[in-house]
Every structure is written in structure tokens, then in C-alpha cells.
Amino acid sequence: MKAKAVSYDYTASIECLAQPHKAQYGGGIIKNPEFNEGLNGWSTFGNAIIQQRNESNGNKFVVARKRSQPQAGVSHKLYLQNNLLYTFSGITFTCYPNSYSFVAICLYSNFNLLSSFEAWVQVSEGKPLVRAVFKTATGLKHAAVTVAESGCWSMLKGGLTVDASGPAQLFFESHDSSVEIWVDSVSLQPFTHEEWNSHHVDNIEKTKRRVRIRVDAQGNPVANSKISIKQKVSGKPVGCATNNYIVNSAGYQNWFTSRFTHTTFANEMKWYSNEAIRGKENYSVSDSMMAVMKQHNIAVRGHNIFWDDPHYQPSWVPSLGQNDLWAAASNRIKSVMTKYKGQVIGWDVVNENLHFNFFESKLGADASSTFYKMASSIDPSVPLFLNEFNTLEEMGDPTSTPAKYLAKLWEIQKALGANYKQMAIGLQGHFSVPNLPYIRSSLDTLAATKLAIWLTEIDVKSNPNQATYLEQVLREGHSHPGVNGMIIWSTWNPEGCSGLCLTDNNFNNLATGDVVDKLLKEWGIKATLEGQTDAHGFFEASLFHGEYEIEISGPANTSLSQSFKVEPKHELDHQIMLLQVST
């Protein structure tokens, strides 16, 4: 008898709680996950003292104290089967002076093994980073990181890919060596690859609606009417970046517009493109590109108003004094936003604001928040994105972890006041080898904000598995319930593209382009569905949410075209959406 598949839990908490949640999946394969049996199954690692403790509410946990080195603490050993995907969740640890927590887990795995986990953390003082790291035969693999607080428990959720068989050790790092760490509610849950991939299908199917179309003439059903339903705009779009070559290259334009409904201009809307010489603004190229997009009903993301990297400022900007820089920046934000107000669907206001601080270093720590406030006042109708890299790609980058991203997001939201919900989450997604559990768990954490999330610049470095990795990332992003849209970061250049290429110079798809076309078709994006009404004038279809146009050709040479929307399905919605069409 086949065991029932385990469903993945997409929930995450971004609040610091007075009490940690119970171990997810009932602890999975972890023995004594909530320490209700004392230290059974757990042991000391390195020079540390571990003991069970009770909170006043009766919650039991283990504490590692008097550690003499960063990796001393508490450990748990087990062997995992290969060809499984492991979800590690619910580690709760609290930091106090003079201790360290360490969990050792022996993994028996192969290249295909993926691990995903959750944790809860607390510290005695300050807000230090606490990181989960796997030590494997091939080196250290960072699994997750969060900012811990004192007096409450914070969730740590992440994942990793194990690429070699053999033992591994999971430990929790904090650069503050004076902290004690409490551990509770540990969960490690295995998934087969079939189960993991089934989550994609299940989540995508949940967004579809059954649509019943009834065609009548003067109240009487019209049988055998030909039906053609074409999706005009996906409710969860997959777009692609473009550049100035699309204006004059018919081949590029035809290839691009036949596939995509959303885009981002790679460089042409950036400050250094629009004002290379101070006071001489030039929007001619971006205007020409915008005209092409309007002609083909392609939505444009505004990218970007400012770029915080000092290397990508207009050449005349770095030498400005504070007053002149404020004046120039104010003019820039007013100019570009007024120019394209009503023509873009959102703005990357300060690009890569976590990794760089050009404007903050010149204008003060609140410079970015001020820019977002200005943007909100100029156009309060579109989302304002905090667009950053390595929040999904690199677990080892401490600068832009989900926790650090949230901290910056909340800082800007506070400055926006009543307009705080105008903020949106932009995650670039420049991958080498994607870590799927980490991607999913990071999205889980950020989705807990209930803000719009876009994967804004998806690409994969050139390697023999590039097309496969691209498909994995696109499936992970599109199927996640918190993601609203995606932009693939690929542009065509007659001299040869760099990074991710989808087509050759004759506009024949490469393997990566074939992957994109396959997924667009699978997800119904710009797809056409054809059929005919039955004897009672009905036609049924299962459609993704989005905007559609229906064309009906009746048996008496009658024809009709009508637009309609399919809204996302919610639990309380009727199973079938009814659409009455009268010819």
C-alpha cells in the first residue's frame, strides 16, 4: 500500500513570538523533537554543557552553555536515505551569554538530495545574526540565517542541496561568542522528488477556475458554436527583459512580442542612460521602446530610478556635494516618474539597496526612505519595489538574507506611514546552481508579509545544465503561492548575448528558449483554447486566472468577440464561474 504523500508547509512567521510553534511535521524523522523526553536522542558536541530546561508555560527545550568555541553545543545524529528531499524545520534556539548550540546530523545522500528546514531563535541582547550551516564532505553549506531578538522567538527557515554522499553536520553560527542558545521543536522531514515536484502542480492547479460558458440567441441555447478563448494577460505573468535593439530589429520584435506580455528595460530607463550629461535629459531611446511595448500591449516595469552601487552612477554624480546631489536626485525622481506615470506597472526605486549605500553615504542614513516617500507622493498607484540580489541565490551572503531584507523593508514602510502597503518585494534571482529548498523557504518567509513578490531578473549562468536549472527556478517561482510575477533576465544582442541567452541571431530558440516556450504553453500564457458548445449551448474549460478574449462563431454565420476576467480561486468561491454570452 502506497504511503500518503506529505504536503509541504509554505507557512512562515515573521513575527517574534512569546512561544515557539510546535515541531512541524510532528518532528519528521527527528527523535524527541520537543525534548519532552529530556535529552533522549541528543548529545553534547565539543566543549559545552547541555541540559533540559522548562519555561514557565511548561514548554521544554534544551540549552547549550559554557561553550568554549563557536561550534560547541548540542548534537543529534541520524542517517538519511538518498534520493529523498529533506525538510528540516522547527529548530528553536534562544541565545544567552556564554553558550553555543550545535546540531550534528549525518546525511547519507547523493547529488539529488535537497534539504529544507525551519528554526526559531532568541538572543539575550542586541539583534545578532544566527545562521544554520551544514558541514559536508564538500565544504560548508549555509542553510538559513535570521536576525535574532531577545525576549521572544524568531523563526529560522531555509534549505540546502547536498551534493555528495556521506556524513554532514548542521550547526548554528553567531559571531557573538558570548551567547547561549536554546533549542526546541526540531523537525526534519524527507520528501521524494515526486512529492517535491507535485507541490508545483498542486499549487498551480489551485489557481485555475472551471469556467462554464453558455451561448444563447434570444434566450435559446446555441449548439455547435465554435469557441476560441485566448489569454491576453496572465494573472501570474512570466515576462522577459529587453533592450534598445527591439526597436529596429523586426526579427527580435516578432520573436519577443509573440511570447511575452511583460518586460523590463535592461538599461535604457536608468539614470546614466537618461542623463549622461548633467541637465541634458534624453528619453528618446526609452520612449521608442515604450512605443513598441504599447503597440503590442506589453506591460513595463520601471527599472530603475536609482542604483545604489557607486560604480553605476552617471559620471558627473559622484563629485557632487551634498546639496547638489539632493537637488540632482530630486530632479531625477520627479523627472522619470512624471515622464512614465501611467505607463509602468511598478518602480524599482533604489536598486540593490542592501548591498550598496552610495546615496546613504552621501546624503545620510534616511536617504533611501526619503526617495521612497517622494516616489509614493508622485505616484501612489503603483507598487514600489525594493529590488535586491542574493536573497534567493546565495545562502552565504549575510547582506541580503530574508531577515536582512525584511529589516530594510520595514524601515522603508515605517517612513511611508499610511502608504506602507505600497511597498513590494523584488528578488533578482541570478543563479549558478539553484538551491531549491532555500528558494522555497525564503519565499515562504517573505510571503508572510502579504506584499506582492516578483522575481525580477531571473537568469542562470552558462553551464551544461543551464536549461534544466532555468526550468527548476521558473517552476519553483511560478508555483509558489506568494509570487505574483517573474521577469527572465535575457536580452538579444547582434554581437552575442552575455549570461542567459534564449535565442540565436536567426531567432531560433536555444535549449533555454525551448524551456521558456514549454512552460509558457503549460501555464496557458498567451495560449489559445478552442472547442464548441454542446447541445445545450454550454462549453466548459479550466482556465488560469487572467484576462481573456473569447470569440464565438455561430452556425448561422454569427460571430461575437467579448473580453472577460478569471479571478484567482479562493476557498469560498464557487467551483464553477459562469459566463453568459448572447449572440
Side-chain angles (χ1 to χ4, degrees), residues 235-497:
K236 201 167 189 177
V238 178
C240 187
T242 190
N243 58 23
N244 61 296
Y245 290 109
I246 202 166
V247 174
N248 297 315
S249 172
Y252 184 23
Q253 194 172 127
N254 291 337
W255 179 88
F256 187 93
T257 59
S258 66
R259 287 165 171 79
F260 302 112
T261 59
H262 289 67
T263 192
T264 301
F265 299 169
N267 292 296
E268 291 79 4
M269 207 177 279
K270 293 173 180 173
W271 195 4
Y272 57 67
S273 297
N274 302 147
E275 196 178 359
I277 300 173
R278 186 179 185 182
K280 295 185 177 181
E281 295 179 337
N282 184 350
Y283 292 103
S284 59
V285 176
S286 52
D287 280 348
S288 297
M289 294 174 67
M290 187 67 77
V292 172
M293 300 308 144
K294 289 181 180 179
Q295 179 185 351
H296 294 280
N297 297 314
I298 294 175
V300 179
R301 293 188 70 255
H303 178 77
N304 49 57
I305 299 174
F306 298 111
W307 195 348
D308 229 358
D309 189 336
H311 295 99
Y312 294 103
Q313 305 303 323
S315 60
W316 52 272
V317 166
S319 62
L320 296 179
Q322 187 179 70
N323 291 338
D324 282 347
L325 181 56
W326 269 121
S330 298
N331 181 73
R332 161 63 180 173
I333 195 168
K334 292 175 184 176
S335 174
V336 71
M337 288 196 70
T338 302
K339 172 75 176 175
Y340 292 113
K341 186 175 182 178
Q343 301 181 67
V344 298
I345 60 171
W347 283 104
D348 295 331
V349 179
V350 185
N351 197 46
E352 299 175 359
N353 196 204
L354 275 73
H355 280 92
F356 305 104
N357 66 341
F358 173 80
F359 293 99
E360 292 86 342
S361 67
K362 299 279 188 177
L363 302 174
D366 62 347
S368 293
S369 295
T370 300
F371 292 151
Y372 278 91
K373 287 175 64 177
M374 293 175 65
S376 180
S377 65
I378 294 170
D379 189 355
S381 67
V382 296
L384 305 178
F385 287 84
L386 178 65
N387 194 44
E388 193 53 76
F389 65 91
N390 278 358
T391 304
L392 300 180
E393 304 97 308
E394 294 293 338
M395 296 175 291
D397 186 343
T399 306
S400 54
T401 64
K404 284 292 187 72
Y405 188 103
L406 287 173
K408 189 67 177 181
L409 177 73
W410 291 332
E411 174 187 314
I412 297 170
Q413 283 188 305
K414 183 177 180 181
L416 290 182
N419 292 337
Y420 72 98
K421 290 185 179 179
Q422 191 178 357
M423 287 298 295
I425 295 171
L427 308 172
Q428 292 184 10
H430 301 292
F431 295 94
S432 50
V433 179
N435 184 325
L436 301 181
Y438 185 75
I439 294 171
R440 185 181 292 186
S441 61
S442 296
L443 289 172
D444 293 347
T445 298
L446 296 170
T449 63
K450 307 300 182 183
L451 297 175
I453 298 176
W454 278 66
L455 309 192
T456 57
E457 303 180 18
I458 298 174
D459 63 14
V460 177
K461 290 182 179 179
S462 180
N463 64 69
N465 296 311
Q466 186 182 41
T468 298
Y469 292 155
L470 176 63
E471 180 171 353
Q472 288 177 346
V473 171
L474 291 175
R475 286 191 183 278
E476 201 66 53
H478 189 71
S479 65
H480 196 283
V483 173
N484 298 79
M486 301 188 294
I487 300 291
I488 301 165
W489 203 249
S490 176
T491 58
W492 176 77
N493 188 317
E495 298 177 359
C497 80

Side-chain angles (χ1 to χ4, degrees), residues 22-183:
K22 294 292 184 180
Q24 204 173 33
Y25 309 106
I29 60 174
I30 294 291
K31 186 176 182 179
N32 188 22
E34 294 175 359
F35 301 95
N36 294 323
E37 302 173 22
L39 299 179
N40 184 28
W42 299 83
S43 58
T44 303
F45 184 89
N47 295 321
I49 296 175
I50 65 171
Q51 64 183 106
Q52 184 199 50
R53 287 185 186 171
N54 299 337
E55 290 186 296
S56 59
N57 56 19
N59 180 54
K60 298 179 174 63
F61 57 93
V62 66
V63 59
R65 59 189 182 84
K66 292 188 177 180
R67 61 180 179 85
S68 60
Q69 54 188 353
Q71 298 179 351
V74 60
S75 67
H76 184 75
K77 297 182 179 180
L78 65 156
Y79 278 87
L80 308 181
Q81 296 178 5
N82 57 2
N83 291 319
L84 292 179
L85 314 178
Y86 288 90
T87 297
F88 181 79
S89 63
I91 292 186
T92 310
F93 46 100
T94 309
C95 303
Y96 279 87
N98 299 321
S99 82
Y100 193 85
S101 176
F102 185 98
V103 178
I105 297 181
C106 295
L107 305 179
Y108 187 78
S109 60
N110 66 5
F111 180 80
N112 295 318
L113 187 143
L114 308 175
S115 297
S116 176
F117 73 92
E118 294 178 6
W120 293 82
V121 299
Q122 185 177 157
V123 294
S124 56
E125 59 183 1
K127 294 185 178 182
L129 287 177
V130 176
R131 179 182 290 106
V133 184
F134 275 86
K135 182 180 181 181
T136 72
T138 58
L140 297 178
K141 292 183 174 294
H142 296 85
V145 62
T146 192
V147 176
E149 299 183 37
S150 61
C152 57
W153 303 86
S154 301
M155 175 181 278
L156 178 67
K157 190 169 187 179
L160 76 159
T161 301
V162 178
D163 52 9
S165 298
Q169 295 176 319
L170 169 65
F171 60 93
F172 299 91
E173 292 184 340
S174 174
H175 291 302
D176 185 352
S177 60
S178 66
V179 297
E180 175 182 287
I181 302 178
W182 300 353
V183 180

